[in-house]
Amino acid sequence: MNNKVLQLNPRDNVLVALQNLSQGDSLTFNQVSYSLASPVHAKHKFAIRDLAPGDPVIMYGVLVGKAVEPIVKGQALTTRNVRHDSAVFQEKSADYRWTPPNVSRWAGKTFRGYHRTDGQVGTRNYWLVVPLVFCENRNISVLKQAFEEELGFAAPQIYRHQVAELARLYKEGKSAEIASTALVNTAPPARSKIFENVDGIRFLMHDGGCGGTREDSNNLCGLIAGYIHHPNVAGATILSLGCQHAQIPILRDELRKRNPQFDKPLVVFEQQQTGSEETMLTEAIRKTFLGLVQANEARRADAPLSHLCVGLKCGGSDGFSGLSANPAIGHTADLLGALGGRTILSEFPELCGVEQELINRCTSKEIADRFIHLMRSYNSRAKAVGSGFEMNPSPGNIRDGLLTDAMKSAGAAKKGGTSPVTGVLDYPEYSSGEGLKLQCTPGNDVECVTAQVGAGANVVLFTTGLGTPTGNPITPVVKLSTNSELAKKMADSIDIDTGSIVSGESTIEKMGEGILDLVIRTASGEVFTRAESKGQSDFIPWKRGVSL
């Protein structure tokens, strides 16, 4: 590593440590000498001048906090001496001019996807089985076991095989050997797939649909409609109890909002009308199987890159997120924007402090005003339950250098690159048109990715500094590490290591271009992500105002 520290913007009054620094260490940056007044761990920051209580802390060129006690030059920022603070934001105040990156390298480039009758193109081909209410989760589990095991879609049963080995030892009276017996990471071969052109059947269990607010149940119907309408889905089976808030007519209305000519196979059962559970499940199996036969007729074909819709997400973030992985996928987003593709930047609590930049990047006052309204409404609802955006950073975020929400947000917003904001989505709306969309969601990993896919993301780029196994039932989630240490430690969860940006061996632009190449290969089914190979298919609908 050539540099020990980095300044992210000339306006900053802090430097970021790129490696562990000790108290008393001397270093020079931009011809200024510093003697560290305290240890500064990698990913953390120290002041480049004395700060008095109330002085602003500037990072990425924006306000990310304020000093609450004296901080001397060369002293580390901590949760004791710095508190969250962020700049106020106003209406759109200026036109935004953007110079797109050179995309000649991808001129005429295509990916091979599944073309749907509504013009969308999928990167995968799934059948969905979804309950409208949690009362049907058990029935969904019954169908899941039957279909996955019999049709060859079940993941390798590695851990089941290990339990069987321990049970064998116990039954043979060899309990003393259990603690020392090596458990192999292999399993009997899975059954061969019957439907070669179907990537799988996905069973989306949840705890909603009734007993909560009508807003939550209506949003759940909208979210499920987004998944059924999604280009990665060939058709769906819906199980309803009958008496819940989330009614079948609401789901059908939400489907019509997304596609008035909706024509995918949709199999719907209502248990209170059908009668016996056995009768319902038997008929659900028959009709779902026939739907799979139809889904298996789909074939991949060339599609322009403008049909890519990429979710931009971070989770388990660290102090390097805003230096490496986030700006790298931000450059990927800019490339896609120049190619006519669509990207989705979500996590409104993690846009706190950078609102004005995003407002000014909006292509119209109406789009900007909607973003302002949704940001203020979300924060006020969080405060109404005793929270607020400033409570967003997790213990892991703080431990690895993200001390305030504004500091975390300034780095998180880098995922959106520099292109104009062409739309703002409320949850659980579906996206359309090209360019960068801002989507109102929490920062919560699974709730956010669930929402992005419900809005049409057919690939998700997910950056992480601490590590997370998050995946999605129907959309490939590409995991990018912000640092090489994580990439080595959690190699079975990481697809791309962007740590070479921190070490100076690569650039944001070069990494962003390589990420786009991998997105194209992933979209074409040439590459399956680590999350897909592990069967990671997380699905959590958002209950508004509670989660950050």
Side-chain angles (χ1 to χ4, degrees), residues 379-390:
N379 197 23
S380 65
R381 292 180 69 157
K383 287 184 179 298
V385 294
S387 187
F389 287 174
E390 69 275 6

Side-chain angles (χ1 to χ4, degrees), residues 9 11 33 52 68 71 74 76 82 126 154 164 223 227 245 250 258 343 348 380 421-422 444 462 494 497:
N9 185 285
R11 295 185 57 221
S33 297
V68 293
I71 305 173
V82 172
Y126 285 106
L223 179 70
Y227 272 68
H245 288 334
I250 299 174
R258 288 155 178 79
T343 53
F348 273 23
S380 65
V421 174
T422 62
N444 176 292
F462 191 119
I494 301 299
D497 174 19

Side-chain angles (χ1 to χ4, degrees), residues 124-282:
R124 298 290 185 267
N125 189 34
Y126 285 106
W127 185 275
L128 284 185
V129 182
V130 194
L132 275 185
V133 64
F134 56 81
C135 308
E136 292 296 322
N137 280 349
R138 178 192 166 276
N139 288 331
I140 297 292
S141 295
V142 170
L143 294 177
K144 175 180 171 68
Q145 182 180 21
F147 274 104
E148 288 189 342
E149 292 186 3
E150 292 301 322
L151 298 186
F153 291 123
Q157 298 296 312
I158 295 172
Y159 304 112
R160 180 175 172 181
H161 186 58
Q162 291 178 354
V163 172
E165 175 63 12
L166 297 179
R168 182 188 65 78
L169 291 173
Y170 178 77
K171 287 189 293 185
E172 293 177 359
K174 300 176 181 179
S175 297
E177 298 179 20
I178 290 176
S180 58
T181 295
L183 297 176
V184 297
N185 292 326
T186 58
R191 299 190 186 194
S192 59
K193 286 175 58 175
I194 294 177
F195 299 111
E196 288 299 322
N197 299 308
V198 177
D199 289 296
I201 312 175
R202 291 295 188 246
F203 301 83
L204 309 185
M205 288 178 279
H206 56 80
D207 63 357
C210 200
T213 67
R214 292 299 177 95
E215 178 187 41
D216 282 341
S217 59
N218 289 343
N219 284 343
L220 176 65
C221 288
L223 179 70
I224 294 172
Y227 272 68
I228 298 171
H229 175 57
H230 196 284
N232 288 6
V233 172
T237 300
I238 303 296
L239 298 190
S240 170
L241 180 60
C243 57
Q244 73 277 354
H245 288 334
Q247 289 284 302
I248 293 171
I250 299 174
L251 175 66
R252 292 192 183 278
D253 285 344
E254 292 292 336
L255 282 169
R256 281 191 289 270
K257 286 180 186 178
R258 288 155 178 79
N259 181 7
Q261 283 78 46
F262 178 81
D263 61 354
K264 289 181 182 178
L266 184 64
V267 182
V268 181
F269 294 92
E270 192 163 86
Q271 189 169 1
Q272 291 171 346
Q273 296 298 320
T274 303
S276 77
E277 178 181 291
E278 180 181 350
T279 299
M280 181 182 74
L281 292 180
T282 297

Side-chain angles (χ1 to χ4, degrees), residues 34-111:
Y34 300 92
S35 179
L36 297 186
S38 65
V40 185
H41 296 294
K43 309 177 187 179
H44 285 257
K45 297 86 191 170
F46 66 87
I48 64 174
R49 62 174 177 83
D50 293 347
L51 299 176
D55 281 354
V57 176
I58 307 296
M59 188 174 166
Y60 297 100
V62 299
L63 178 66
V64 298
K66 66 179 179 181
V68 293
E69 61 180 44
I71 305 173
V72 301
K73 177 182 176 181
Q75 182 180 349
L77 274 57
T78 68
T79 53
R80 178 177 175 178
N81 58 31
V82 172
R83 291 290 183 273
H84 168 84
D85 197 11
S86 61
V88 297
F89 56 93
Q90 306 169 11
E91 294 183 352
K92 181 176 170 64
S93 59
D95 290 333
Y96 184 69
R97 299 187 183 279
W98 182 56
T99 302
N102 184 348
V103 292
S104 57
R105 171 179 164 186
W106 294 274
K109 182 78 173 179
T110 61
F111 74 97

Side-chain angles (χ1 to χ4, degrees), residues 475-519:
T475 288
V477 177
V478 179
K479 213 69 59 62
L480 304 98
S481 67
T482 70
N483 60 88
S484 297
E485 180 183 356
L486 172 65
K488 294 173 183 175
K489 182 170 61 176
M490 295 183 66
D492 62 342
S493 294
I494 301 299
D495 299 287
I496 300 177
D497 174 19
T498 69
S500 57
I501 295 174
V502 178
S503 66
E505 301 168 81
S506 187
T507 65
I508 288 168
E509 292 75 19
K510 183 178 178 181
M511 188 65 68
E513 292 172 358
I515 293 167
L516 177 56
D517 289 336
L518 181 64
V519 166

